[in-house]
Amino acid sequence: MTITSAMPRAKERKSRTRTKRVSSLPAIRLSQLRPSHIDLRNPLKAVLVCVDCGTWVPITGMQDKVQKLVPHHTGKAYVDAARRCRSSNRRVEFDMTIPEWCQALTDAVKEASSRQGTAVLPKAFSPQTDRTLRARAERTPAGRLADWNVVLPHVANADKNRRAIPAGDAPTEGPAVPLDTLRPQRPAR
């Protein structure tokens, strides 16, 4: 089926409906839902997550005898196709009070926070890495200078050996290697 501009789109619904219709599905009991899927902070504008489509839906008729879910679509408003959720107009049974819901919500938050790891443990070091890191932490600027002064004669000796001309015959096939550093000069005007 191709999509055309004439196909109906999901519209935003009013939060209060005045219909007498009630869904034939069994009523939703608040005690069977997760506390995080219910919002009773403002009791006259209570909302919950629809068990069928997973969208937040207002509860209508809070001051009447029968509370039920507002008719709603399964998709996003003005984006998805207008397909009504089967839980529209479904009755809601308030089998818990607002203080009970608040207590259940705080208990759920405590339980969820206890499941999360709080301490990040570092990766275990090898003994050699541990010794190196401890030695590096114990070094001071004076100690580094002393270490450099110990190494400096060896560095100077290696530089002197690099500058020395090797003993033996000079290469026969190539040009002579210049021993002086060549620096370009500007021509005189």
Side-chain angles (χ1 to χ4, degrees):
M1 183 172 171
T2 60
I3 297 176
T4 63
S5 60
M7 292 187 74
R9 293 281 177 198
K11 296 180 183 177
E12 289 194 33
R13 294 287 182 153
K14 296 177 184 176
S15 62
R16 184 179 301 203
T17 57
R18 306 226 187 313
T19 181
K20 301 279 184 187
R21 292 183 188 170
V22 177
S23 174
S24 61
L25 295 173
I28 298 173
R29 303 184 74 156
L30 292 184
S31 60
Q32 294 175 346
L33 296 175
R34 287 193 214 165
S36 59
H37 286 187
I38 307 167
D39 186 6
L40 298 176
R41 288 177 289 187
N42 186 354
L44 294 178
K45 294 184 179 180
V47 293
L48 59 84
V49 175
C50 178
V51 293
D52 286 331
C53 63
T55 57
W56 284 92
V57 182
I59 301 171
T60 188
M62 293 302 289
Q63 295 175 340
D64 296 335
K65 294 179 186 174
V66 177
Q67 293 82 28
K68 54 189 175 178
L69 293 181
V70 171
H72 60 282
H73 293 301
T74 58
K76 291 184 178 180
Y78 300 111
V79 176
D80 295 329
R83 201 171 284 136
R84 181 172 265 182
C85 179
R86 67 187 202 117
S87 285
S88 294
N89 293 322
R90 192 169 178 181
R91 286 187 312 113
V92 178
E93 285 185 15
F94 279 81
D95 56 348
M96 64 184 339
T97 62
I98 293 176
E100 289 174 348
W101 168 76
C102 288
Q103 184 62 40
L105 186 62
T106 55
D107 291 345
V109 168
K110 284 181 186 177
E111 181 185 340
S113 65
S114 69
R115 287 193 304 251
Q116 297 172 353
T118 55
V120 177
L121 301 175
K123 184 179 175 184
F125 292 124
S126 68
Q128 177 62 36
T129 306
D130 190 40
R131 281 193 298 266
T132 304
L133 291 176
R134 286 178 193 267
R136 191 176 293 166
E138 293 171 359
R139 292 180 70 187
T140 61
R144 289 189 198 119
L145 185 62
D147 290 345
W148 179 248
N149 288 336
V150 169
V151 173
L152 195 57
H154 297 293
V155 172
N157 190 17
D159 286 344
K160 185 178 87 172
N161 289 339
R162 279 193 207 104
R163 282 190 223 108
I165 300 172
D169 296 333
T172 57
E173 297 177 10
V177 177
L179 297 178
D180 297 331
T181 305
L182 300 177
R183 292 189 175 85
Q185 295 180 352
R186 291 188 179 179
R189 292 187 186 195

